[in-house]
Amino acid sequence: MLNPKEEDVLFHLGYEWWMFRSTYEALKNLGNSNTPMRNALVESLLLHSRALIYFFHFSKKQDDWIVEDLGHSLRTTALRPNTLLDSWRVEVNKRVAHLTGLRETPLASLNIDPIYNELEKSINKVKTALNNDIPSGWIGNQPADTSFPAPLGPVGAPPQLGPLGSTGPAKP
């Protein structure tokens, strides 16, 4: 049985996972159009992935929640994420959270699919460990919400983070 704090942590973890999946799916439907909507979705996807990486793989700082806040049985085996997730976190920090010359490098070179797969593994570990303690209507289990504007590109194509991303339109 989860205590009230653990219930709050689980709800917000579910929210982050739901938003990450929703922006991932929405980007598939928007194609590579050069619009503010697409850019907002790319930045949302990056920030939600970053929040999940910190939650699962970093030690507690101030009042941040980490996976251990759901119970000691979910203690991470390593405080730092694997190289793939750590590299992703660094890229997100460079490109979204700071105004730097590093934004000149297009986001198109980053592949979101392996990040999705790694984060899904972490979510599944939580779901397995908490099993009966996860409410039936947990937001993390809700289908991705793709109720966004009509597709502006090929539907069902794998989401790509470029050419727009947080770097602006592709340079001539």
Side-chain angles (χ1 to χ4, degrees), residues 4-164:
K5 177 190 171 193
E6 291 168 336
E7 288 176 5
D8 285 345
V9 173
L10 183 62
F11 172 81
H12 289 283
L13 171 62
Y15 170 81
E16 292 296 329
W17 178 238
W18 177 64
M19 286 299 297
F20 174 78
R21 290 182 301 110
S22 293
T23 54
Y24 174 89
E25 293 298 327
L27 283 167
K28 284 184 184 180
N29 293 328
L30 286 178
N32 287 330
S33 59
N34 182 4
T35 66
M37 170 68 82
R38 185 177 188 291
N39 195 44
L41 287 171
V42 166
E43 290 182 0
S44 178
L45 176 83
L46 296 177
L47 291 174
H48 290 293
S49 69
R50 181 178 178 263
L52 290 165
I53 290 168
Y54 274 99
F55 178 82
F56 285 115
H57 298 287
F58 283 82
S59 56
K60 193 172 208 54
K61 291 185 177 149
Q62 297 169 353
D63 60 351
D64 289 353
W65 286 329
I66 61 173
V67 70
E68 292 175 8
D69 289 321
L70 289 174
H72 64 82
S73 64
L74 286 167
R75 188 174 313 272
T76 55
T77 55
L79 289 178
R80 294 298 295 236
N82 62 39
T83 304
L84 175 71
L85 291 178
D86 202 35
S87 296
W88 180 265
R89 178 193 57 83
V90 168
E91 291 296 326
V92 170
N93 285 345
K94 288 178 192 175
R95 298 173 194 294
V96 177
H98 302 283
L99 287 172
T100 71
L102 297 170
R103 288 181 170 211
E104 293 293 319
T105 306
L107 284 170
S109 62
L110 300 177
N111 183 357
I112 186 65
D113 292 331
I115 304 306
Y116 186 105
N117 294 335
E118 288 297 315
L119 292 174
E120 185 174 44
K121 286 178 194 174
S122 295
I123 290 290
N124 287 337
K125 286 179 185 175
V126 167
K127 288 165 70 172
T128 299
L130 297 181
N131 193 13
N132 294 331
D133 287 334
I134 293 185
S136 61
W138 184 55
I139 192 170
N141 286 337
Q142 290 183 12
D145 182 357
T146 58
S147 59
F148 293 98
L152 302 173
V155 175
Q160 295 179 358
L161 299 183
L164 185 59

